[in-house]
Amino acid sequence: MNTGGLRILGLTTLQQVGLTLVRFGLPVLIPFIRRDLDLSVLQVGMLLTALDLGSFAAFVPAGLATDRIGERRVLVGGGVLMGTVAALTALAPSYPVLLVGLALAGLGFPSGHTGGSALVMRRFPPRARGGAIGVRQSGLPVGGALAALAIPYLSGVSGWRTAMAAAGLACASLGALCVLLPRDDRRESEPRGGRSPLAELAWDRGYALLTLMATMLVIAQFSLQGYYALFLVDQHAWTPQAAGRVLVWIHLGGVAGRLAWGWASDRLAGARRRPVLVWVIAAGVLLLIGLARFPAGAAPGLAAAVALAGGMLLAGWNGLAVNLIIERAGSSRAATALGASLTIMYLGTMASYPIFGSVVQAAHAYGPAWLLVAACQAVALILLMRVREG
C-alpha cells in the first residue's frame, strides 16, 4: 500500500473514530443519564433514538453531496458539525432539550459512512478493498471501545456532561484533520440515461434485498450495543461503571470481526463477500439464542466473552455489507447508494431501541427481547441467500 493509500485509510478511520465517540459513547453514558434525570426504560430508548433521527434525515443528502462535491468536504463538515453540537448539548438543562440536541448532532454522523467508504472504494482495487473497507469501518468499534474505556471514568469523576463534552470536542478535532486528505476529484454529477441515481437504484432488486438484509442486521447490532450494559445492571445487579466497561469487549470484537471478515473475503473467498457473510450471520443467530438463556450470576469472564463474540458477529458484518452495496452500485453511485441504504437501515435502528425496551418492560425480562432480535437476524440470512453476487 502506498503512502497516499495509508493517509486516506488513516484519516478516514480517525474521522469515523471521532463520530463514534459520540454515537457509541451515548449507550455508555445512558446509565449515568438515567440516574441523573430519573428516566424510564422507554425514555432511555427514545434518547438513544434521538441521535439516529438526525442521522436518518441526513444520509441521502450526505450521499448525494459526496458524489457531487467530493469526499473531503463532506468528511470535514460532518465531523465538525457532530462534535460541536454534541459538546454544546452537554449543557442541556432538561430531557427534551437533550433529545433535540442529540438529533441535531446526528446530522453529521452520515459523513463518515458516505464520504469515507466512497473514497476507499475509488482508491483501492477489488482484491484489497474488503480489507481496506474493514480497516475504515473499524473506526466505529475503535471509537466505541475508547468511549467504553474513558467515559465511565470521566462520568464517575466529573459527571456525564463533562464526558459528553469531551467526546464532542474530540469528534470535531478529528473531523477537522480531514483537510489533509487529497483534493477531491470532481466526478460527473449528471444522471445516466436521464434518470437520477436514486431512481436507478430503486429498480435494482438485489440492491433492495441487501438494504433490507442490512436493516435486519443493524437491529441486532444496536440492540446489543444499546442494551447490554443495562441488561447486566438490571438483570445481573452490576454497577453502571462495571457494565459500561464490559462494552469495550463488544467494540473490540467489532474491530476484530471487520478486519478478519474483510481479509477473509479478499484472500479466501476471491473478493466475494457473500459466502463469508452467510457464516457470520448464521453464527450470530446462535449467539442471540444463547444470550436469551444467559445464566443469572454469571462470572464477569463469561459476560466479557459473550460481548467479544457478539461484537465479532453482530457488529463485524458491517464492512462486508458495505462492500456488497457499493460494489453493486458502482463507483459513480457508491455514496448515494450507501446513503439511501443507511436511511432505510436507520429506520431499523430507531425502531429497535423503543421496541426492545417495550418488550423488556412488558415481559419484565430480557430473554424475549433477545429472541426477537434473533428472529430479525434469521430474516437477514434468508434475504442474503436470495442475492446473487456479481
Side-chain angles (χ1 to χ4, degrees):
M1 187 185 302
N2 58 32
T3 304
L6 285 173
R7 180 169 57 161
I8 288 169
L9 269 186
L11 290 173
T12 56
T13 302
L14 284 174
Q15 193 260 9
Q16 190 68 70
V17 168
L19 298 173
T20 311
L21 279 172
V22 177
R23 174 61 191 84
F24 288 165
L26 184 58
V28 183
L29 284 169
I30 282 299
F32 301 95
I33 297 174
R34 183 177 69 164
R35 184 172 58 188
D36 184 34
L37 301 182
D38 192 25
L39 305 180
S40 69
V41 175
L42 188 56
Q43 284 178 307
V44 166
M46 296 305 297
L47 196 63
L48 290 166
T49 302
L51 191 143
D52 292 328
L53 184 63
S55 300
F56 170 76
F59 270 115
V60 169
L64 290 169
T66 299
D67 284 335
R68 291 175 182 173
I69 67 173
E71 294 89 356
R72 186 175 66 166
R73 295 179 181 87
V74 171
L75 289 166
V76 172
V80 171
L81 171 65
M82 186 174 195
T84 303
V85 175
L88 293 173
T89 299
L91 303 174
S94 65
Y95 176 73
V97 175
L98 185 60
L99 284 175
V100 173
L102 289 173
L104 293 175
L107 294 172
F109 187 67
S111 61
H113 289 281
T114 58
S117 297
L119 186 57
V120 170
M121 181 188 182
R122 291 196 304 111
R123 299 298 180 109
F124 288 85
R127 284 188 178 267
R129 192 177 295 147
I133 288 284
V135 170
R136 200 213 69 77
Q137 292 291 114
S138 71
L140 282 88
V142 167
L146 291 174
L149 287 171
I151 285 178
Y153 173 77
L154 284 175
S155 297
V157 172
S158 302
W160 66 267
R161 296 179 187 277
T162 299
M164 178 179 283
L169 292 174
C171 174
S173 300
L174 293 174
L177 284 179
C178 287
V179 298
L180 302 176
L181 284 168
R183 283 191 169 276
D184 297 313
D185 295 332
R186 289 300 185 95
R187 292 172 296 288
E188 247 185 71
S189 60
E190 289 299 317
R192 294 176 296 177
R195 289 195 300 176
S196 71
L198 288 173
E200 292 177 339
L201 292 166
W203 289 96
D204 187 332
R205 178 176 176 273
Y207 170 77
L209 290 173
L210 288 172
T211 297
L212 292 174
M213 172 208 72
T215 302
M216 294 294 105
L217 293 177
V218 86
I219 290 173
Q221 176 184 342
F222 282 88
S223 294
L224 184 73
Q225 291 167 341
Y227 278 100
Y228 194 63
L230 282 180
F231 169 62
L232 295 175
V233 171
D234 292 346
Q235 200 151 307
H236 299 278
W238 286 43
T239 66
Q241 290 86 347
R245 284 192 293 269
V246 169
L247 290 183
V248 72
W249 293 105
I250 294 178
H251 300 301
L252 290 176
V255 174
R258 292 173 197 221
L259 296 177
W261 311 144
W263 177 86
S265 71
D266 283 343
R267 303 300 178 186
L268 303 181
R272 296 177 66 226
R273 322 300 172 192
R274 183 175 174 272
V276 179
L277 189 53
V278 165
W279 288 105
V280 171
I281 296 174
V285 174
L286 298 178
L287 179 85
L288 286 163
I289 293 172
L291 191 57
R293 301 180 63 82
F294 196 75
L302 177 59
V306 169
L308 181 65
M312 292 190 69
L313 299 173
L314 304 181
W317 58 270
N318 194 283
L320 294 174
V322 167
N323 264 294
L324 281 168
I325 289 168
I326 62 178
E327 287 173 350
R328 189 173 189 93
S331 61
S332 66
R333 302 182 303 177
T336 300
L338 194 55
S341 286
L342 286 164
T343 300
I344 304 301
M345 288 163 60
Y346 263 65
L347 287 174
T349 302
M350 290 187 293
S352 65
Y353 294 134
I355 291 173
F356 192 101
S358 296
V359 172
V360 171
Q361 200 159 287
H364 303 290
Y366 281 77
W370 293 127
L371 290 175
L372 177 62
V373 173
C376 293
Q377 188 87 353
V379 170
L381 182 60
I382 295 170
L383 292 169
L384 179 60
M385 297 298 290
R386 298 181 63 187
V387 176
R388 178 174 296 179
E389 186 175 6

